[in-house]
Amino acid sequence: MTTPLLPDTAGASTFGGNEFVDEDAVVDAETEVSATYFNRMTSQLAAMSYTQPRAWCYVTVAANVPTLVAHGAVWGDAPAVAPVVAWVSAGIFTVTWPTAVDDLQATAESHSTNIRAVTGQSVNAAAASVPRWAITSANVLTGTFHNLSAAATDPTSFSVAWT
């Protein structure tokens, strides 16, 4: 069954259009789901697919060297799907996720990475750090960091998440 969902988006039609009706009364609530409950659940799941973060990472920085400390995604947290973090120049970093990922279904399906929105924060132990994130391609984010004087400066650490 091909069900486009995380990291993609879905609509109610993905799950049958909320048209499910009970043929008989639910006899065992531990092994059966009522159509009303299933319709509500799939509607909420489809709605969540538009706003749920797909992936995140936490990075520390020392002497222009970013270190990926932790990461997670709706497709897992294995090293093979970890983002690659790179220092570009003072105060500029890129974070690159795989262009395509397999979901976590028993029979995996491939999904293209498509960053639609981003949020992030940063810390600088010596001074304030102001992050700005830009989507530079379907799977790449570029973060620029400045101090309060608008001078480019590397943060001590940063985190970023995207939908």
Side-chain angles (χ1 to χ4, degrees):
M1 175 170 123
T2 300
T3 304
L5 199 55
L6 299 174
D8 302 323
T9 57
S13 62
T14 303
F15 305 102
N18 291 335
E19 303 286 330
F20 293 96
V21 177
D22 290 325
E23 184 174 311
D24 295 312
V26 172
V27 176
D28 184 351
E30 289 187 19
T31 60
E32 301 176 52
V33 175
S34 74
T36 301
Y37 180 80
F38 185 78
N39 290 336
R40 182 179 300 138
M41 180 181 66
T42 56
S43 291
Q44 291 176 1
L45 183 63
M48 180 195 70
S49 75
Y50 285 87
T51 59
Q52 170 69 32
R54 304 308 198 257
W56 63 271
C57 69
Y58 174 70
V59 176
T60 58
V61 181
N64 302 339
V65 178
T67 301
L68 180 66
V69 176
H71 72 98
V74 295
W75 52 84
D77 60 0
V81 295
V84 175
V85 183
W87 183 85
V88 177
S89 64
I92 302 175
F93 295 82
T94 58
V95 183
T96 304
W97 274 270
T99 56
V101 294
D102 288 340
D103 58 28
L104 297 177
Q105 296 182 101
T107 302
E109 296 176 11
S110 182
H111 300 266
S112 296
T113 302
N114 185 22
I115 300 172
R116 296 178 295 129
V118 60
T119 185
Q121 61 184 7
S122 63
V123 173
N124 187 323
S129 179
V130 180
R132 177 175 292 161
W133 287 96
I135 301 168
T136 48
S137 73
N139 66 315
V140 179
L141 296 173
T142 299
T144 57
F145 302 86
H146 298 88
N147 62 22
L148 294 180
S149 299
T153 183
D154 288 347
T156 307
S157 65
F158 64 84
S159 62
V160 64
W162 60 268
T163 57

